[in-house]
Amino acid sequence: MKKIITLSRQFGSGGRELGKRLSEALGIPCYDHQIIDMIAEEQGLDKDYVARISEKAIQAFYPATIGRHFTWNPVMEQPMKVAAAQNDILKKLAEKEDCMIVGRGADVILKDMNPFRIYVYADMDARVQRCMAHSKEGENLSEGEMLKMIKKIDRERSAYRSQFTDIRWGESEAFNLCINTTGKEIKDLIDPIVSYINVWFQNK
Amino acid sequence: MKKIITLSRQFGSGGRELGKRLSEALGIPCYDHQIIDMIAEEQGLDKDYVARISEKAIQAFYPATIGRHFTWNPVMEQPMKVAAAQNDILKKLAEKEDCMIVGRGADVILKDMNPFRIYVYADMDARVQRCMAHSKEGENLSEGEMLKMIKKIDRERSAYRSQFTDIRWGESEAFNLCINTTGKEIKDLIDPIVSYINVWFQNK
């Protein structure tokens, strides 16, 4: 039984660390930012440019579009190509071998392959504190500025997600397991989640 | 470390079975419908009456109320008394010993005691199928009728919940762990959830 795991996460929830530790414990590769590099290489584009149009909502490029119904416009061409390349790469990765994919709407894009879909989140206070503790040297954001940044990223991820699915970002419905990391060390949560995933795939 | 566990569940998700099995595995009592009996006894009221006003939204008794802001009205007196008695009973149960409480907004009512809050849900198709398989003899609902009944109960629970909290029913934010039972046998999921709960309380 092939194990495809997708991990969606709130910024500051520790989701990336959880994905990394989980994939190590399961002995499967974890794809995160590497996907950006793959798209950039395949499309002959700059990595920063791909990261920018891939992270932000396509709508941002063409605000008059409503949901997925829009008139073709040349401004849309490049973002649509990037989105198509991403779909293609995610499907190829998942077809090749067991793997975990962090973010990128992979839970929706790979839905037909019946992946195990994890959502990692935390209370806002805990997210701010985690970000403050992990902020890079020289960043020096105040807690208020950090909160503002987190809320901005939430809005962007929510808009990004609305391109793929009608289910609201953060709604449990879209996932198999939702994990609130508030007040917890990520490393302590790994063993029972691995057990849960193994049981889930055994009884698929 | 006291283990207070609350379990909120979608109708037809297998949440009640999951609660029963989990509490057995953890060796703690599980309170579900017994709370209705306790309120009825304490208030000298009929059990069916308590179940009815406790399951439905208080708003239903007085449709002009908006959220929690309303003018006092004699029609409200009995439902408010039942709600107060329920709060009181839940707090006493949780103070007495480790326990699990299914439904009744216990996750919100007992929030100060920092309970482990589980949410159990499933895809709509899976809920309909589970309800069809478990329906009582002589019930004979069609799948369409079952779907209608589930949607009605969803609306009622959502309205019930809106009395306690501004967080929408089913939003992961209010819980520590959200479990999608779609396509799974409840019994297979118990061991890893027990491990997760134990780890969560050990690292509280």
Side-chain angles (χ1 to χ4, degrees):
Chain A
M1 174 60 68
K2 190 175 263 188
K3 282 182 190 166
I4 309 299
I5 299 166
T6 66
L7 190 147
S8 309
R9 77 289 179 221
Q10 282 186 332
F11 185 78
S13 67
R16 180 169 295 173
E17 180 188 342
L18 196 143
K20 202 168 165 290
R21 287 182 182 271
L22 256 190
S23 63
E24 280 165 11
L26 288 160
I28 61 175
C30 177
Y31 298 101
D32 191 336
H33 274 324
Q34 301 92 322
I35 294 162
I36 298 287
D37 301 350
M38 293 178 197
I39 299 170
E41 195 170 322
E42 197 184 279
Q43 298 284 308
L45 295 168
D46 177 65
K47 283 180 193 177
D48 287 343
Y49 170 74
V50 173
R52 210 163 55 241
I53 64 169
S54 165
E55 284 284 339
K56 312 255 179 203
I58 287 177
Q59 278 90 328
F61 287 82
Y62 191 27
T65 62
I66 295 161
R68 273 156 283 182
H69 309 286
F70 49 79
T71 317
W72 184 85
N73 182 302
V75 176
M76 289 299 292
E77 206 173 336
Q78 198 64 66
M80 293 304 278
K81 267 193 191 165
V82 167
Q86 177 167 288
N87 276 21
D88 200 43
I89 286 169
L90 291 181
K91 281 181 184 162
K92 276 186 193 151
L93 287 173
E95 272 158 16
K96 199 176 73 179
E97 58 184 344
D98 291 357
C99 64
M100 171 176 293
I101 293 166
V102 177
R104 326 233 67 82
D107 56 309
V108 182
I109 294 166
L110 301 177
K111 200 166 183 205
D112 289 348
M113 300 180 78
N114 200 9
F116 184 76
R117 301 158 299 165
I118 306 177
Y119 179 62
V120 185
Y121 63 105
D123 297 353
M124 186 54 92
D125 280 356
R127 295 166 68 192
V128 171
Q129 293 314 318
R130 192 180 290 269
C131 288
M132 294 302 286
H134 289 79
S135 68
K136 287 174 201 140
E137 212 176 321
E139 243 181 25
N140 294 332
L141 290 186
S142 69
E143 288 198 7
E145 288 164 337
M146 191 61 91
L147 176 66
K148 215 169 150 185
M149 192 183 81
I150 292 174
K151 285 186 173 172
K152 183 169 171 278
I153 295 173
D154 278 355
R155 282 195 301 276
E156 284 173 4
R157 290 203 178 156
S158 173
Y160 178 68
R161 196 165 177 83
S162 71
Q163 298 171 90
F164 297 107
T165 172
D166 292 330
I167 298 174
R168 276 164 29 117
W169 172 235
E171 199 119 358
S172 50
E173 206 183 323
F175 305 102
N176 298 101
L177 192 67
C178 306
I179 297 159
N180 186 338
T181 61
T182 304
K184 300 295 154 199
E185 293 281 341
I186 300 299
K187 64 176 170 47
D188 297 327
L189 306 178
I190 302 303
D191 285 351
I193 302 174
V194 167
S195 305
Y196 193 93
I197 291 172
N198 285 331
V199 159
W200 195 87
F201 279 105
Q202 272 158 29
N203 297 284
K204 204 171 173 179
Chain B
M1 175 59 68
K2 190 177 265 190
K3 282 183 189 163
I4 309 297
I5 300 166
T6 66
L7 189 147
S8 309
R9 76 290 180 220
Q10 281 186 334
F11 186 78
S13 67
R16 180 170 295 173
E17 182 189 341
L18 196 144
K20 202 170 165 288
R21 287 183 183 271
L22 257 190
S23 62
E24 280 165 10
L26 289 160
I28 61 174
C30 178
Y31 297 100
D32 192 334
H33 273 324
Q34 301 92 322
I35 294 161
I36 299 287
D37 301 350
M38 292 177 196
I39 300 170
E41 195 171 321
E42 197 184 279
Q43 299 282 308
L45 295 168
D46 177 67
K47 284 179 191 176
D48 287 344
Y49 170 74
V50 172
R52 208 162 57 242
I53 64 172
S54 164
E55 284 285 338
K56 312 260 180 198
I58 287 178
Q59 279 90 325
F61 286 83
Y62 190 28
T65 61
I66 295 160
R68 272 157 284 181
H69 308 286
F70 48 79
T71 318
W72 184 84
N73 182 301
V75 175
M76 290 298 292
E77 206 174 336
Q78 197 66 64
M80 293 304 277
K81 267 192 190 165
V82 166
Q86 177 167 288
N87 275 22
D88 198 45
I89 285 168
L90 291 181
K91 283 184 183 161
K92 276 186 191 151
L93 287 173
E95 273 159 15
K96 198 176 73 177
E97 60 184 341
D98 290 358
C99 63
M100 170 176 293
I101 294 167
V102 176
R104 327 235 65 83
D107 57 307
V108 181
I109 293 166
L110 300 178
K111 197 162 187 208
D112 290 347
M113 300 180 79
N114 199 9
F116 184 76
R117 299 157 302 165
I118 306 176
Y119 180 61
V120 185
Y121 63 106
D123 297 353
M124 186 55 91
D125 280 356
R127 295 167 66 192
V128 171
Q129 293 314 319
R130 193 180 288 271
C131 287
M132 294 302 284
H134 289 79
S135 69
K136 289 177 198 134
E137 213 176 317
E139 243 180 26
N140 295 329
L141 290 185
S142 70
E143 288 198 6
E145 288 163 336
M146 191 62 90
L147 175 66
K148 216 170 150 186
M149 190 183 81
I150 292 174
K151 285 186 174 172
K152 184 170 170 277
I153 295 173
D154 278 355
R155 283 195 301 275
E156 284 173 3
R157 290 204 178 154
S158 174
Y160 179 68
R161 197 167 177 82
S162 71
Q163 299 171 90
F164 296 105
T165 174
D166 292 331
I167 299 173
R168 274 164 33 116
W169 173 233
E171 198 120 359
S172 50
E173 206 183 322
F175 305 102
N176 298 99
L177 192 68
C178 305
I179 298 158
N180 187 338
T181 61
T182 303
K184 300 296 155 198
E185 293 281 341
I186 301 299
K187 65 176 169 45
D188 297 328
L189 306 177
I190 301 303
D191 285 352
I193 302 174
V194 167
S195 304
Y196 193 94
I197 292 172
N198 284 333
V199 159
W200 194 88
F201 279 106
Q202 270 159 29
N203 297 284
K204 203 169 171 178

